Amino acid sequence: MKEDILSTEEYLSQLDESNVILFFKEHIENLCHTVFKLIHQLRSYWKYNQKTVSESDCIAQCMLQMGLLRTKSILNLLKGQSLLENSNLLIQDIPSILSVLRSYYELCFTFHNIFITQQSDAEREIVLSIWEIRGFQNRQGLNNVPEEYKEKEAKEKNEIENLKNKVSVLLLQLKVPDCKKILDYKGTSLKGYYFVKSNGEITGIKGIHVDNGINQIICDDDAKNLYRITSSHIHSSFLSVLQFGQMFNDNINSYVKTIIKSTYILLATILYDFCCYSNDAHIILNQIDKDAFEILSYILKENKHDYINCIRK
């Protein structure tokens, strides 16, 4: 571990690219291991105290676990794969890693939009319900499915209508104008929502695309830019094949460094957001050591003022 007299930024500035990668890998592994254990403790705390856990709390902790699993998947993929028998040559499948990383960005965006952006319980309930409606709609009208799936589809169709009715009532209570188009949206693209306000009064609700949402929660330029360019690597276009071939003519460490730093930023972001949202976050925070907090503060320094004082309870 670095000397106490050095800040994280000073310490990293003294390392070469390979050692920066090793530094982040080590601390990501340790943080994942710690938080997985603490989530188990959180769930045990809920069960032991017979606490009534809301749907939104259940979803939030599930999404945090999904973030941890994506982190672990990226770390495992970065170890490389052997394509030749009895060979020590390991190839890092960067396009596949970027695919997982892109889904991680989208998870963080969705979490932030539902649980942090909204300024009241009613606003959160509306955006959460819209998100659920979109999810159920994606399983409607599929062909060649088993009979039991059709029964599930019918139940979910009723659930969609119930959710739409609930959202309509909440929108009326908040006096949100021109809100019908929100519920009538049939697209499949990932979107979030925010309430437009003037002098404290809601004047509308607008959609926000994931690309713009990333700019609101991540300030590191490399991490933001990596999300924008992932599509040029993960789709089966001429450009993606060209870049795959060119990638191995260069020092791949520059790709790996940006990926590993971005992964840490996303892990820190979703952990930060979960702890801002959850009233029981102290179960996690009080057991994360000082070194981990110092690094988390560094990685989020540009848009989270003081990681420890802001969320530790």
Side-chain angles (χ1 to χ4, degrees), residues 79-141:
K79 293 175 182 177
Q81 301 180 61
S82 175
L83 298 182
L84 297 174
E85 190 175 355
N86 301 321
S87 171
N88 293 324
L89 177 64
L90 297 176
I91 297 176
Q92 292 167 314
D93 183 3
I94 297 298
S96 293
I97 297 169
L98 290 176
S99 182
V100 177
L101 190 64
R102 185 180 179 90
S103 74
Y104 201 169
Y105 277 105
E106 292 169 352
L107 179 73
C108 288
F109 161 75
T110 302
F111 190 103
H112 190 85
N113 182 249
I114 294 171
F115 297 106
I116 304 300
T117 301
Q118 313 315 321
Q119 297 177 357
S120 71
D121 290 342
E123 290 174 19
R124 181 183 299 119
E125 190 68 24
I126 288 169
V127 175
L128 178 63
S129 296
I130 292 172
W131 178 67
E132 290 176 345
I133 291 168
R134 298 283 166 74
F136 285 136
Q137 282 179 334
N138 286 337
R139 291 207 299 208
Q140 294 291 304

Side-chain angles (χ1 to χ4, degrees), residues 54-259:
S54 68
E55 179 190 33
S56 58
D57 283 349
C58 289
I59 290 172
Q61 64 87 26
C62 278
M63 292 178 79
L64 177 58
Q65 289 188 64
M66 290 171 70
L68 292 168
L69 287 169
R70 279 172 172 72
T71 303
K72 294 286 287 183
S73 294
I74 290 168
L75 292 176
N76 286 331
L77 285 168
L78 282 171
K79 293 175 182 177
Q81 301 180 61
S82 175
L83 298 182
L84 297 174
E85 190 175 355
N86 301 321
S87 171
N88 293 324
L89 177 64
L90 297 176
I91 297 176
Q92 292 167 314
D93 183 3
I94 297 298
S96 293
I97 297 169
L98 290 176
S99 182
V100 177
L101 190 64
R102 185 180 179 90
S103 74
Y104 201 169
Y105 277 105
E106 292 169 352
L107 179 73
C108 288
F109 161 75
T110 302
F111 190 103
H112 190 85
N113 182 249
I114 294 171
F115 297 106
I116 304 300
T117 301
Q118 313 315 321
Q119 297 177 357
S120 71
D121 290 342
E123 290 174 19
R124 181 183 299 119
E125 190 68 24
I126 288 169
V127 175
L128 178 63
S129 296
I130 292 172
W131 178 67
E132 290 176 345
I133 291 168
R134 298 283 166 74
F136 285 136
Q137 282 179 334
N138 286 337
R139 291 207 299 208
Q140 294 291 304
L142 298 179
N143 298 320
N144 302 318
V145 295
E147 192 61 37
E148 59 268 23
Y149 190 94
K150 293 181 181 178
E151 295 174 6
K152 188 174 187 177
E153 182 181 343
K155 290 179 181 178
E156 290 181 353
K157 186 174 183 179
N158 290 331
E159 183 63 21
I160 289 171
E161 292 307 312
N162 292 335
L163 286 166
K164 284 185 174 181
N165 291 334
K166 180 173 75 171
V167 170
S168 296
V169 170
L170 288 170
L171 289 170
L172 286 172
Q173 289 176 349
L174 294 179
K175 299 178 181 178
V176 180
D178 193 27
C179 57
K180 188 175 184 297
K181 61 183 180 182
I182 300 297
L183 293 175
D184 290 341
Y185 177 76
K186 300 297 183 184
T188 58
S189 63
L190 181 64
K191 291 178 67 174
Y193 288 93
Y194 67 97
F195 290 85
V196 182
K197 297 182 180 180
S198 176
N199 298 321
E201 297 292 324
I202 296 175
T203 60
I205 180 170
K206 289 189 176 181
I208 180 170
H209 188 267
V210 59
D211 193 24
N212 296 323
I214 290 298
N215 292 334
Q216 293 181 6
I217 62 175
I218 294 176
C219 289
D220 183 87
D221 287 337
D222 286 341
K224 285 193 296 188
N225 291 336
L226 189 61
Y227 176 78
R228 295 193 186 104
I229 66 171
T230 49
S231 60
S232 68
H233 285 274
I234 67 177
H235 298 306
S236 300
S237 64
F238 166 73
L239 182 58
S240 70
V241 176
L242 176 66
Q243 290 178 146
F244 177 80
Q246 293 172 335
M247 189 180 298
F248 297 99
N249 295 326
D250 303 321
N251 180 4
I252 204 168
N253 270 356
S254 60
Y255 283 95
V256 174
K257 179 184 174 183
T258 304
I259 287 169

